[in-house]
Amino acid sequence: DQQVKQNSPSLSVQEGRISILNCDYTNSMFDYFLWYKKYPAEGPTFLISISSIKDKNEDGRFTVFLNKSAKHLSLHIVPSQPGDSAVYFCAAMEYGNKLVFGAGTILRVKS
Amino acid sequence: DAMVIQNPRYQVTQFGKPVTLSCSQTLNHNVMYWYQQKSSQAPKLLFHYYDKDFNNEADTPDNFQSRRPNTSFCFLDIRSPGLGDAAMYLCATSRDQGRTEAFFGQGTRLTVV
């Protein structure tokens, strides 16, 4: 039973354009959401997070949007850079509980 | 200055031969996690420690055990590895349970032959 779903296995974007990565969840008790980035042969690194009391959080080129009614969040990267090419994992947490991950989306930014 | 260190990076073990993967952290975090990740799948939580309290996931096979002798170190023991246990094993830490990010090590790629 996948509680966190990333339905796009891969995404290809031109350098300078916007990358939008999507994530859906089923557990209404999740109240904290995170995005991780993973390069090959490395562990995931934390990128950005959002609490369920917010609908947007911004950090430089990265913005995460949360739509609680739709149980959907998205990560926007603008402008996209070739160094952003990586696997992006969406993760969700219920307070005091474990971090649940999606299967990841491979982002390729073409120069 | 790596904060979560996993050793070894690559481990080859024989079918049925016990193997131990190690994780250390310099962050002094209370929580340490072990995840299993198979190709193109989501990392799957096996268990975690909150300080010395061990929390096993309901669907983690008995073949997988863990030890946390002190705050800094945590071990994953696979008592009798099968071919299906070949995966990337990720260790992570977080300061506390709740709304805080987890920091991951580089992972150990386990091959079972």
Side-chain angles (χ1 to χ4, degrees), chain B residues 34 47-49 54 64-68 74-77:
Chain B
W34 280 104
F47 24 60
H48 75 277
Y49 277 93
F54 178 68
F64 291 85
Q65 304 285 321
S66 186
R67 296 170 282 136
R68 189 179 186 186
C74 195
F75 300 98
L76 169 62
D77 301 308

Side-chain angles (χ1 to χ4, degrees), chain A residues 31 36 41 43 89 93 98-99 102, chain B residues 9 35 42 57 98-99 102 105:
Chain A
D31 63 357
Y36 281 82
F89 290 98
M93 178 183 282
K98 62 187 179 183
L99 201 54
Chain B
R9 293 289 307 279
Y35 284 85
E57 293 301 301
R99 301 180 188 91

Side-chain angles (χ1 to χ4, degrees), chain B residues 10-64:
Chain B
Y10 302 92
Q11 175 74 58
V12 180
T13 191
Q14 290 181 333
F15 182 94
K17 184 175 179 181
V19 65
T20 295
L21 310 181
S22 75
C23 178
S24 64
Q25 55 134 337
T26 60
L27 297 162
N28 204 34
H29 282 173
N30 287 321
V31 190
M32 294 188 78
Y33 305 86
W34 280 104
Y35 284 85
Q36 178 194 63
Q37 187 188 15
K38 297 187 177 180
S39 182
S40 303
Q41 295 182 23
K44 178 180 176 300
L45 183 64
L46 296 173
F47 24 60
H48 75 277
Y49 277 93
Y50 182 78
D51 196 12
K52 294 180 182 178
D53 293 331
F54 178 68
N55 298 272
N56 198 28
E57 293 301 301
D59 57 354
T60 298
D62 292 339
N63 198 25
F64 291 85

Side-chain angles (χ1 to χ4, degrees), chain A residues 15-85:
Chain A
E15 180 180 7
R17 306 295 291 269
I18 186 170
S19 296
I20 300 176
L21 298 107
N22 293 302
C23 178
D24 297 294
Y25 62 95
T26 57
N27 185 348
S28 58
M29 298 301 292
F30 286 147
D31 63 357
Y32 191 63
F33 304 88
L34 306 91
W35 284 93
Y36 281 82
K37 176 179 174 179
K38 184 181 183 303
Y39 292 118
E42 294 184 13
T45 55
F46 169 73
L47 197 55
I48 193 169
S49 63
I50 188 167
S51 165
S52 61
I53 61 173
K54 295 186 175 182
D55 53 20
K56 177 182 173 181
N57 188 28
E58 206 169 340
D59 184 3
R61 296 186 297 115
F62 303 91
T63 304
V64 56
F65 295 92
L66 175 62
N67 182 335
K68 282 177 296 195
S69 61
K71 294 193 178 70
H72 177 85
L73 65 155
S74 60
L75 174 68
H76 293 210
I77 307 172
V78 56
S80 301
Q81 299 173 354
D84 296 329
S85 298

Side-chain angles (χ1 to χ4, degrees), chain B residues 63-103:
Chain B
N63 198 25
F64 291 85
Q65 304 285 321
S66 186
R67 296 170 282 136
R68 189 179 186 186
N70 53 54
T71 301
S72 301
F73 285 88
C74 195
F75 300 98
L76 169 62
D77 301 308
I78 308 176
R79 293 193 295 189
S80 181
L83 297 178
D85 297 327
M88 173 71 81
Y89 289 88
L90 296 164
C91 173
T93 74
S94 65
R95 187 179 65 247
D96 210 337
Q97 294 182 126
R99 301 180 188 91
T100 180
E101 65 267 26
F103 294 83

